[in-house]
Amino acid sequence: MNAAARKIQRVYLTLTLGNTLATSFIWGINTLFLLDAGLSNLEAFAANAFFTAGMVLFEVPTGVVADGWGRRVSFLLGTVTLALSTFLYYLLWQQSAPFWWWAGVSVLLGLGFTFFSGAVEAWLVDALRFSGYEGGLESVLGRGQMVSGIAMLAGSVAGGALAQATNLGVPFLVRVGVLVAMFVVAFLLMRDVGFTPERSPHPLRATRAVLKASVDGGFRHPPVRFIMLAAPFTEGVGFYVFYALQPYLLQLFGDPRAYAVAGLAAAIVAGADILGGWMAPRIRKLVRKRTTVLIASNLLSSLILVMLLFTSAFWLALVLLALWAVVGAAGTPVRQAYLNDMIASKQRATVLSFDSLMGSSGGVVVQPLLGRTADLYGYPASLAVSGAVQLLAAPFILMSRRQRSQADTASDVAATP
């Protein structure tokens, strides 16, 4: 890695560290926060579903912002929107607001995250190519996932401990403060390199043009399309399991106010991200095709979720959940590298946002249904059903594999469709 690429990587890792640290302060206690505000399980997961609905609604428009106005602009807008909506969440909790207020602000939270979803990754890949980097994408994305995991581990554990020492609202205020700081950091460090935004005097016409090119290069490109069609099952289940772990672990532990224990849910995922990010490039050296890694990850993680139906011991559940998270985390950089190697630069942010939209759309449907399953049959049964739902992604990954894209076996960043 040359000096220019190393600088790009440092900025990327700095943004990833700060952004994940900010957002993760509430991840360990979010479901408990909603329940404490007076929402039922169904309403709490429905609020999360409205959050993902916001991501579905705004993924592509904010991707167009990133491709048309710049990835830096998109990131800065994301920090402002997420800070504002997080503070509104805190106010709703103080007032024990009715469900529909939570639904509306949750949509606004989703908007904040969509400004980040395609922009940062698109910024990284284009800047690396411009700098002359010729290494594998898995290694850089894996490092980013490791840094994200470290930040998430620190933020989620600190958030849980802070909530137990004070109250469930304080971590939300800390998140707002760190997001404001990240606005300043990104304003000073982030520049669009290797990409020139196409700012048109006719924004609606430019939006339509970017969308058409993105659909042509994304959903109409068969190997990309099938990977996107797998996303609703994997991402929808991922959303649910992450948030269900908090009350599930407290239930197994036997103390409904042990918020620090609830923080273990996010800590498990954070630790898995660190280990999975380290494993991803090493697995790729052993496995010829990226889709082999994706299929194996899907099958193993689905099986582990089903096994939780037969688990009543707290520590055994922790081990299984950690294994589930590591298996999924090891496949994530491989999936993103596979996808990026099939996308053209000018539509990269929009296509990645569309991919995120597909995953979020699964969360809109899956979360309330699995939340209702938890109300009726308990959390272990809902987690087992999650495993069955996630398994539905495997045929789509196989269909992407059968398209024989060069990206399936690519090992360098220069590979493009």
Side-chain angles (χ1 to χ4, degrees):
M1 182 176 287
N2 59 40
R6 195 172 292 113
K7 181 179 179 181
I8 294 298
Q9 180 179 247
R10 279 199 303 268
V11 174
Y12 165 67
L13 296 179
T14 300
L15 296 176
T16 300
L17 177 68
N19 201 36
T20 307
L21 182 65
T23 55
S24 65
F25 274 110
I26 72 162
W27 285 348
I29 48 94
N30 183 69
T31 304
L32 304 177
F33 176 83
L34 295 174
L35 296 175
D36 187 67
L39 301 182
S40 67
N41 270 322
L42 175 60
E43 288 173 330
F45 286 105
N48 289 336
F50 273 95
F51 161 71
T52 50
M55 296 183 72
V56 170
L57 287 172
F58 298 113
E59 278 290 5
V60 172
T62 54
V64 172
V65 169
D67 282 334
W69 289 86
R71 284 77 191 260
R72 177 175 180 260
V73 169
S74 186
F75 188 93
L76 294 175
L77 287 172
T79 58
V80 172
T81 306
L82 196 54
L84 174 62
S85 52
T86 299
F87 185 67
L88 289 176
Y89 240 44
Y90 173 78
L91 295 180
L92 294 182
W93 171 75
Q94 281 196 319
Q95 300 298 319
S96 297
F99 169 74
W100 289 109
W101 281 98
W102 291 97
V105 177
S106 294
V107 172
L108 189 59
L109 276 170
L111 169 62
F113 274 96
T114 59
F115 279 114
F116 299 129
S117 58
V120 180
E121 193 172 307
W123 175 85
L124 169 70
V125 174
D126 288 335
L128 283 176
R129 289 181 174 175
F130 181 79
S131 71
Y133 174 68
E134 296 180 353
L137 274 178
E138 283 93 344
S139 60
V140 181
L141 292 170
R143 289 185 194 110
Q145 185 169 294
M146 292 173 70
V147 167
S148 177
I150 292 169
M152 183 178 173
L153 181 62
S156 57
V157 172
L162 190 59
Q164 187 159 334
T166 55
N167 59 61
L168 286 166
V170 172
F172 285 76
L173 296 179
V174 174
R175 177 201 250 196
V176 172
V178 179
L179 283 168
V180 171
M182 284 309 301
F183 177 91
V184 176
V185 171
F187 185 84
L188 295 174
L189 296 182
M190 194 177 185
R191 295 289 183 272
D192 286 321
V193 181
F195 168 78
T196 303
E198 296 183 359
R199 300 185 182 183
S200 170
H202 306 287
L204 290 179
R205 188 185 306 167
T207 298
R208 286 195 297 269
V210 172
L211 279 174
K212 183 181 183 303
S214 300
V215 171
D216 290 342
F219 205 72
R220 289 180 181 170
H221 187 45
V224 176
R225 178 172 68 247
F226 290 126
I227 286 296
M228 288 184 175
L229 289 173
F233 304 105
T234 55
E235 296 301 312
V237 166
F239 276 123
Y240 174 75
V241 173
F242 180 78
Y243 289 113
L245 290 185
Q246 300 161 28
Y248 171 62
L249 289 177
L250 282 181
Q251 188 179 81
L252 288 179
F253 190 72
D255 182 357
R257 295 190 62 81
Y259 299 142
V261 172
L264 279 173
I268 285 171
V269 177
D273 278 348
I274 298 169
L275 183 57
W278 177 83
M279 291 171 59
R282 289 160 176 81
I283 291 173
R284 269 292 285 138
K285 290 179 180 179
L286 301 174
V287 180
R288 179 171 174 268
K289 290 190 174 183
R290 286 165 166 163
T291 50
T292 301
V293 178
L294 302 184
I295 293 168
S297 174
N298 181 263
L299 295 177
L300 285 173
S301 57
S302 297
L303 177 62
I304 292 166
L305 288 175
V306 172
M307 290 172 64
L308 288 169
L309 179 62
F310 309 100
T311 304
S312 58
F314 174 76
W315 293 108
L316 179 57
L318 273 183
V319 170
L320 288 174
L321 289 169
L323 185 59
W324 167 79
V326 168
V327 169
T332 300
V334 178
R335 180 189 186 276
Q336 294 312 108
Y338 179 46
L339 196 59
N340 270 285
D341 276 348
M342 296 187 289
I343 302 173
S345 173
K346 286 188 177 294
Q347 295 87 40
R348 189 181 306 282
T350 308
V351 175
L352 291 175
S353 290
F354 192 76
D355 174 57
S356 184
L357 179 154
M358 295 295 292
S360 299
S361 66
V364 173
V365 177
V366 167
Q367 287 188 94
L369 290 178
L370 292 175
R372 184 58 177 162
T373 303
D375 278 335
L376 294 174
Y377 305 108
Y379 286 110
S382 71
L383 293 171
V385 172
S386 298
V389 172
Q390 184 175 275
L391 195 60
L392 296 175
F396 293 104
I397 302 172
L398 279 170
M399 284 187 277
S400 179
R401 179 189 181 95
R402 288 173 182 169
Q403 304 306 309
R404 301 182 185 278
S405 169
Q406 290 184 352
D408 201 5
T409 55
S411 59
D412 62 83
V413 77
T416 54

